[in-house]
């Protein structure tokens, strides 16, 4: 379905044209009920999208797109296990991992995880020299790293004492070396997490970790210090990890949707299996909301439709994700993979060009740090950058004096972005402050405003609400994929670089002549080889 040919699309194009003349501050002034009209209280979350550049007519047309694109039909196909990842001929069933009554293989996998976590926590699983495990090092990248890493930080207030969980992803040896320098091999367990068990970064880091461990404890120690999480059991066995110590998941779980599977093992070790199950329960609650709630009150649907509006009608090229929570510091990085690897595509399900821009560039930083870095550009840089604020009503860490100030900053930013400050207001302020040069300074103190934002308020940050939050974004991604008629579940765009890197490696190693390359690439290789 090409949405751009629908009446709703044409109507949205007309609204976008008319909206150019209207400032957000005027929309607020004209409607005292704007917050009530454009906010949702669902599932304990408050989604305030009243500071978006929308009207009731625009929202009505956006709701029509949801139906025109048959999003409910796509949801049904996903839930029925149809191979909606059509370029890889795979079903998309990450929601099956968190169903209240999961399928038998999921029940069995969760039970194995639970046994393993208990064995580690109660000191029944010991290292080769008989010591209990203190350090857990997850070696993985992309979907085999970002989800559990983000969640381990997000749930810092819920971590079990005595378990030190770390993550190594980068091929740069600096990453692994920094971790190895701080841990004791006798008390370390490595989790090698890779869906395919062939990703070069992970395989190299796993080999180096193994060499480090066996140098200290001997070859036989591998069995007590390495476990794996993968769909590729043969490759795990070939690496030398006991199949009994391998946690399986399935090709119907996409890498960036795999937090809920055994890929979540390091998180489960950090917080305990009971809390991991609360994470699953939170995600399941958001699934039920997404599947059963009409578009008008559907949280993921509204987030998706607003992103489509900002991207395809207002021309926004990026979106800033601004969690006012240090614990959610890694959420922007996690969502970069979830959103941009899923929907950063220009070809639709039929192999044709998508007729409009797709996923915007997602970037962001925890508030208030971002305020002292890039907010200047948000306020006065002159670009349209929709912002998404996330804040907690109840803090996860309590020190007197912090939380109200944090919230005051968060709400002040969205107010300032929306309202702006006119030249007359800036001049009046300067005059009132007895400035010696009000006319000179006033232009520098003008804020155009009209910068759209959404604020998502969570009651608190705990395993359940984090599960809800992550599932909310997963379903937002799904909805946008359906609206743009994309396959959100493949990632061909990451393959080409890998292919070229394997051609360049022998040249860098000096095993192959530097030939058949453009002059830039050849010059860079020559510079490294000359200094080697
Ligand atoms: O970046 C490409 C990608 O395939 C991601 O989709 C995936 O999450 C990551 O690599 C890691 O893959 P694997 O878990 O197979 O090592």
């Amino acid at each position: 379905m090409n949405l751009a040919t629908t009446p709703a699309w044409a109507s949205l194009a007309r609204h976008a044209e008319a909206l150019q003349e209207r400032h957000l501050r005027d929309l607020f002034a004209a409607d005292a009920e704007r917050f009530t009209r454009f906010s949702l209280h669902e599932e304990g979350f408050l989604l305030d999208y009243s500071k978006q550049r929308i009207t009731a007519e625009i929202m009505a047309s956006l709701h029509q797109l949801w139906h025109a694109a048959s999003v409910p039909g796509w949801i049904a196909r996903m839930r029925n296990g149809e191979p909606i990842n059509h370029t890889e001929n795979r079903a998309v069933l990450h929601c099956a991992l968190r169903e209240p009554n999961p399928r038998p293989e999921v029940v069995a996998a969760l039970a194995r995880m639970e046994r393993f976590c208990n064995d580690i926590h109660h000191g029944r699983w010991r290292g080769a020299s008989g010591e209990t495990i203190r350090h857990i090092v997850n070696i993985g990248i992309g979907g085999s790293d970002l989800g559990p890493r983000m969640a381990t930080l997000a749930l810092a207030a819920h971590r079990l004492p005595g378990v030190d969980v770390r993550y190594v992803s980068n091929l740069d040896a600096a990453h692994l070396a920094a971790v190895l320098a701080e841990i004791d091999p006798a008390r370390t367990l490595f989790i090698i997490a890779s869906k395919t068990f062939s990703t070069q970064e992970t395989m190299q880091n796993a080999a180096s970790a193994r060499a480090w461990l066996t140098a200290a404890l001997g070859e036989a120690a591998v069995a007590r210090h390495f476990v794996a999480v993968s769909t590729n059991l043969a490759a795990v066995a070939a690496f030398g990890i006991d199949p009994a110590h391998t946690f399986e998941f399935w090709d119907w779980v996409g890498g960036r949707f795999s937090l809920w599977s055994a890929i979540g093992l390091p998180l489960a070790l950090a917080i305990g299996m009971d809390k991991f199950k609360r994470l699953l329960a939170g995600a399941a609650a958001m699934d039920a909301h997404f599947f059963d709630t009409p578009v008008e009150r559907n949280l993921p649907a509204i987030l998706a439709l607003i992103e489509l509006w900002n991207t395809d009608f207002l021309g926004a090229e990026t979106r800033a994700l601004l969690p006012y929570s240090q614990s959610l510091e890694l959420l922007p990085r996690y969502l970069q993979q979830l959103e941009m690897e899923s929907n950063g595509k220009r070809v639709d399900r039929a192999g044709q060009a998508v007729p409009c821009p797709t996923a915007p560039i997602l970037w962001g930083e925890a508030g208030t740090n971002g305020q002292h870095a890039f907010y200047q550009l948000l306020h006065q840089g002159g670009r349209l950058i929709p912002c998404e604020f996330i804040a907690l009503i109840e803090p996860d860490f309590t020190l007197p004096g912090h939380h109200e100030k944090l919230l005051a900053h968060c709400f002040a930013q969205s107010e300032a972005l929306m309202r702006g400050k006119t030249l007359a207001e800036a001049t009046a302020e300067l005059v009132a402050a007895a400035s010696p040069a009000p006319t000179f300074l006033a232009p520098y103190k003008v804020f155009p405003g009209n910068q759209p934002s959404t604020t998502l308020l969570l009651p608190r940050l705990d395993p359940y609400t984090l599960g809800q939050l992550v599932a909310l974004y997963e379903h937002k991604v799904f909805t946008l994929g359906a609206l743009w008629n994309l396959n959100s579940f493949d990632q061909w765009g990451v393959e080409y670089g890998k292919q070229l890197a394997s051609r360049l490696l022998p040249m860098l190693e000096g095993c192959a002549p530097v030939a058949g390359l453009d002059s830039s690439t050849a010059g860079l290789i020559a510079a490294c080889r000359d200094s080697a």
Side-chain angles (χ1 to χ4, degrees):
M1 174 69 188
N2 178 357
L3 279 195
T5 60
T6 61
W9 194 276
S11 138
L12 286 164
R14 284 193 298 278
H15 284 303
E17 188 74 25
L19 199 75
Q20 281 179 3
E21 310 302 320
R22 303 188 74 183
H23 194 285
L24 266 172
R25 65 155 75 184
D26 300 328
L27 294 175
F28 271 92
D31 180 6
E33 297 301 311
R34 189 170 168 85
F35 171 75
T36 316
R37 208 179 301 289
F38 299 122
S39 60
L40 291 174
H41 290 82
E42 294 285 338
E43 301 297 313
F45 285 15
L46 167 60
L47 178 70
D48 172 16
Y49 59 104
S50 60
K51 293 193 184 93
Q52 289 291 340
R53 285 161 62 176
I54 44 139
T55 61
E57 297 76 31
I58 290 167
M59 287 313 299
S61 296
L62 288 171
H63 298 155
Q64 285 170 22
L65 290 185
W66 159 275
H67 296 292
S70 303
V71 182
W74 282 106
I75 292 174
R77 267 173 247 174
M78 173 173 72
R79 296 182 74 188
N80 288 340
E82 290 179 31
I84 60 170
N85 175 358
H86 71 306
T87 59
E88 296 180 308
N89 195 28
R90 287 179 182 165
V92 174
L93 284 169
H94 48 275
C95 296
L97 297 167
R98 58 221 190 188
E99 266 173 21
N101 297 307
R103 49 185 74 198
E105 64 263 45
V106 174
V107 174
L110 284 169
R112 280 198 67 210
M113 278 174 75
E114 182 151 20
R115 274 197 301 278
F116 185 71
C117 288
N118 287 337
D119 285 349
I120 295 280
H121 293 148
H122 296 128
R124 290 192 292 268
W125 177 292
R126 296 198 172 221
S129 50
E131 303 212 39
T132 55
I133 298 297
R134 165 153 177 75
H135 311 290
I136 311 284
V137 182
N138 189 79
I139 295 182
I141 197 165
S144 300
D145 165 72
L146 289 165
R149 183 201 290 259
M150 175 276 293
T152 302
L153 179 64
L155 299 176
H158 299 266
R159 271 186 226 155
L160 296 173
V163 193
D164 166 38
V165 178
R166 295 158 185 252
Y167 292 86
V168 173
S169 53
N170 202 316
L171 186 52
D172 186 341
H175 202 178
L176 180 62
V179 170
L180 296 183
E182 292 179 353
I183 58 176
D184 172 4
R187 301 196 64 192
T188 296
L189 177 84
F190 291 99
I191 301 174
I192 312 303
S194 174
K195 180 174 171 180
T196 55
F197 225 76
S198 62
T199 305
Q200 191 179 51
E201 291 90 333
T202 301
M203 293 302 103
Q204 182 59 55
N205 277 323
S208 299
R210 185 191 167 125
W212 174 82
L213 186 103
T214 55
L217 302 177
E219 195 62 33
V222 170
R224 302 306 299 168
H225 293 269
F226 279 81
V227 300
V229 181
S230 187
T231 61
N232 186 351
L233 304 185
V236 175
F239 181 85
I241 295 178
D242 189 340
H245 302 159
T246 303
F247 297 85
E248 189 188 3
F249 66 115
W250 309 273
D251 71 1
W252 40 265
V253 182
R256 52 193 173 274
F257 300 87
S258 63
L259 170 64
W260 327 98
S261 70
I263 288 292
L265 184 62
L267 173 65
L269 285 163
I271 62 174
M273 203 61 195
D274 288 347
K275 289 181 185 154
F276 187 77
K277 287 180 185 169
R278 290 292 295 156
L279 179 93
L280 300 183
M286 189 55 73
D287 294 344
H289 166 82
F290 178 59
F291 297 155
D292 300 333
T293 308
V295 60
E296 294 80 4
R297 306 201 58 77
N298 192 310
L299 296 168
I302 296 298
L303 282 182
L305 291 168
I306 284 176
E307 181 128 301
L308 181 135
W309 167 248
N310 285 332
T311 306
D312 292 336
F313 293 94
L314 302 188
E317 294 190 335
T318 82
R319 170 170 126 261
L321 189 88
L322 308 166
Y324 275 65
S325 159
Q326 183 63 23
S327 301
L328 290 175
E329 189 187 20
L330 296 180
L331 188 67
R333 214 192 282 182
Y334 170 74
L335 290 182
Q336 280 179 334
Q337 188 198 20
L338 183 65
E339 298 198 3
M340 297 202 281
E341 196 167 88
S342 297
N343 288 336
K345 295 167 187 169
R346 45 175 278 289
V347 173
D348 71 11
R349 285 184 163 275
Q352 304 298 312
V354 181
C356 55
T358 59
I361 299 154
L362 170 63
W363 57 288
E365 171 66 83
T368 56
N369 297 356
Q371 289 175 207
H372 298 273
F374 53 79
Y375 277 41
Q376 163 66 39
L377 183 149
L378 295 179
H379 287 293
Q380 292 187 313
R383 292 174 193 273
L384 174 68
I385 302 177
C387 298
E388 199 158 290
F389 296 92
I390 301 179
L392 314 177
I393 294 177
E394 197 184 293
D396 50 350
F397 287 91
T398 49
L399 286 176
H402 286 250
H403 196 58
E404 290 72 19
K405 292 190 185 89
L406 183 67
L407 290 180
H409 277 288
C410 178
F411 302 158
Q413 290 300 326
S414 69
E415 185 186 7
L417 290 168
M418 179 276 283
R419 178 187 296 283
K421 192 185 284 184
T422 64
L423 184 63
E425 287 168 338
T427 309
E429 267 182 23
L430 287 161
V431 169
S435 162
T439 314
F440 166 68
L441 277 179
Y444 299 99
K445 295 188 172 252
V446 169
F447 291 71
N450 211 24
Q451 188 81 287
S453 73
T454 293
T455 300
L456 183 63
L457 271 185
L458 275 56
R460 69 195 69 79
L461 186 59
D462 62 18
Y464 187 87
T465 58
L466 183 69
Q468 290 179 292
L469 183 69
V470 175
L472 166 70
Y473 282 106
E474 286 181 348
H475 295 315
K476 175 203 159 181
V477 162
F478 176 89
T479 303
L480 279 166
L483 292 166
W484 284 320
N485 195 26
L486 293 174
N487 179 358
S488 304
F489 305 102
D490 59 13
Q491 54 284 318
W492 300 109
V494 297
E495 294 304 322
Y496 191 32
K498 291 185 196 171
Q499 191 188 334
L500 293 191
S502 62
R503 187 168 62 108
L504 299 187
L505 180 60
M507 299 183 198
L508 272 158
E509 289 173 333
C511 321
V514 180
L517 300 177
D518 63 84
S519 61
S520 165
T521 311
L524 293 168
I525 291 178
C528 294
R529 286 190 51 185
D530 290 350
S531 67

